[in-house]
Amino acid sequence: MMFISEYVSGFHLCKYFSTITRTWLFTLCWIINNDMEGKMNAMVLEQPGRPLKHQMVQIPLPAPTQLQIKVIACGVCRTDLHVIDGELTQPKLPLVPGHEVIGRVTLVGAKTSGFRSGDIVGVPWLGYTCGECKFCRSERENLCENGLFTGYTLDGGYAEYMVADARFCFPMPEGYQDAAAAPLLCAGLIGFRSYRMIRPEAQNIGLYGFGAAAHILTQVAKAQHKQVFAFTRDGDTKGQLFAIKMGAGWAGSSREDPPEKLDAAIILAPAGELVPKALKDIDKAGQVICGGIHMSTIPAFSYDLLWGERSVQSVANLTREDGSAFLKQIQLSPIKTQTTYFKLSEANEALDQLRKGKINGAAVLVME
């Protein structure tokens, strides 16, 4: 890549400028080059089970099919906890976590079209698929055998800059271009994929684990005239009040029985013991959708809980079509996220609060 200073330093151009003008141009070019090739702040995972380290690392430059993105904000997701705590066992190391990114395009790769500098984009968990395996060829790219994932096998958004495959970046619509939109890129997208697996006629929907994804899904479901039943940790009255505020018709402990049988349940907490509980709560032909990427061991349960054509299904990753459909949905029925903001350097504190269940809604790291 040739930078502006290389052109300015050429004799045929510089001879036309005064000394003052040349000095100004060289200063401007140094700033631009330093910003592109210099260092940036990042929170880095060096080893699972240890806190992230605040480091100065090289600003990445985009490959021909990539965008360089100046991060505006990055959501803090429970999946980040699974990566950092070692429950997801194959991270790239060292790793910059984060996969709920809102950012501004600063450089566009030479073989990339459809984006330009200044565009506001969202970067999700799914960061690359091969397009050739049996899953990609059958429109199931979320199961790609060679898939790569932002903030896990690709560096993510806990940094001032990042690069991402342009094909897997979403142009963000008006109204969803600031830090508050960051949770939509995973809590929203994975939640929406889980929600779309429910049969359209389902009316009573249980959400188990009322955090970032559930508070977004509740708004989507209410806009479609569904009845939401929210289940929280035992004794979490604050979380139950939050669920009612966001539109749930009933909220209680996951130990409690809902006042009506459910048509479907979405489990968003990583607690395997909720699977037999949700099966107990749903009606015949009901669905239990497990929306997390990691879950503790599911305890044994009797067949009668599953009988009656009840079903249990997991959700893996997302597709670009999920993202497009979700962004269209929230333009038709606007979503407002409940967010708690942290500085980039406070990422460990944000993760710890999420781990302890102290965040209502979503935590977001803000860069600017």
Side-chain angles (χ1 to χ4, degrees), residues 123-141:
V123 184
W125 170 251
L126 185 66
Y128 168 84
T129 58
C130 69
E132 299 176 355
C133 70
K134 65 179 181 181
F135 297 109
C136 287
R137 292 197 308 268
S138 58
E139 299 183 352
R140 294 177 292 171
E141 67 179 4

Side-chain angles (χ1 to χ4, degrees), residues 17-68:
F17 294 136
S18 68
T19 302
I20 294 175
T21 302
R22 288 200 300 270
T23 302
W24 180 85
L25 281 170
F26 281 124
T27 301
L28 175 62
C29 293
W30 181 89
I31 292 170
I32 293 171
N33 290 358
N34 186 64
D35 192 34
M36 289 181 178
E37 294 186 313
K39 299 287 186 177
M40 66 176 182
N41 290 289
M43 297 300 290
V44 179
L45 177 68
E46 293 185 336
Q47 194 68 33
R50 298 179 185 175
L52 303 180
K53 287 191 175 181
H54 189 178
Q55 298 180 1
M56 297 297 295
V57 301
Q58 200 73 20
I59 294 176
L61 293 174
T65 58
Q66 291 181 323
L67 304 174
Q68 183 195 67

Side-chain angles (χ1 to χ4, degrees), residues 261 275-276 278-286 300-311:
K261 280 290 186 182
V275 173
L279 283 169
K280 178 176 177 289
D281 292 341
I282 61 174
D283 208 345
K284 289 182 288 186
F301 56 87
S302 61
Y303 178 66
D304 63 292
L305 287 180
L306 188 61
W307 190 79
E309 299 192 351
R310 296 171 177 85
S311 65

Side-chain angles (χ1 to χ4, degrees), residues 48 82-83 86-93 152:
H82 296 319
V83 173
E87 293 163 332
L88 296 180
T89 59
Q90 297 179 318
K92 165 194 173 296
L93 293 175
Y152 181 44

Side-chain angles (χ1 to χ4, degrees), residues 190-229:
I190 298 297
F192 189 65
R193 180 173 177 83
S194 302
Y195 180 76
R196 293 175 90 194
M197 290 185 173
I198 295 172
R199 286 187 289 271
E201 63 271 20
Q203 186 63 33
N204 291 348
I205 299 170
L207 300 179
Y208 294 71
F210 205 89
H215 95 286
I216 294 170
L217 277 186
T218 296
Q219 296 174 69
V220 173
K222 289 297 292 181
Q224 297 180 357
H225 309 292
K226 309 291 187 181
Q227 181 81 342
V228 175
F229 298 76

Side-chain angles (χ1 to χ4, degrees), residues 138-206:
S138 58
E139 299 183 352
R140 294 177 292 171
E141 67 179 4
N142 59 305
L143 303 176
C144 176
E145 293 175 335
N146 303 296
L148 297 174
F149 304 98
T150 311
Y152 181 44
T153 52
L154 299 168
D155 282 331
Y158 284 21
E160 292 178 302
Y161 287 85
M162 66 177 295
V163 293
D165 190 321
R167 298 170 299 172
F168 294 86
C169 295
F170 297 112
M172 296 303 292
E174 290 290 332
Y176 299 100
Q177 297 186 348
D178 59 8
L184 301 177
L185 274 299
C186 184
L189 287 177
I190 298 297
F192 189 65
R193 180 173 177 83
S194 302
Y195 180 76
R196 293 175 90 194
M197 290 185 173
I198 295 172
R199 286 187 289 271
E201 63 271 20
Q203 186 63 33
N204 291 348
I205 299 170

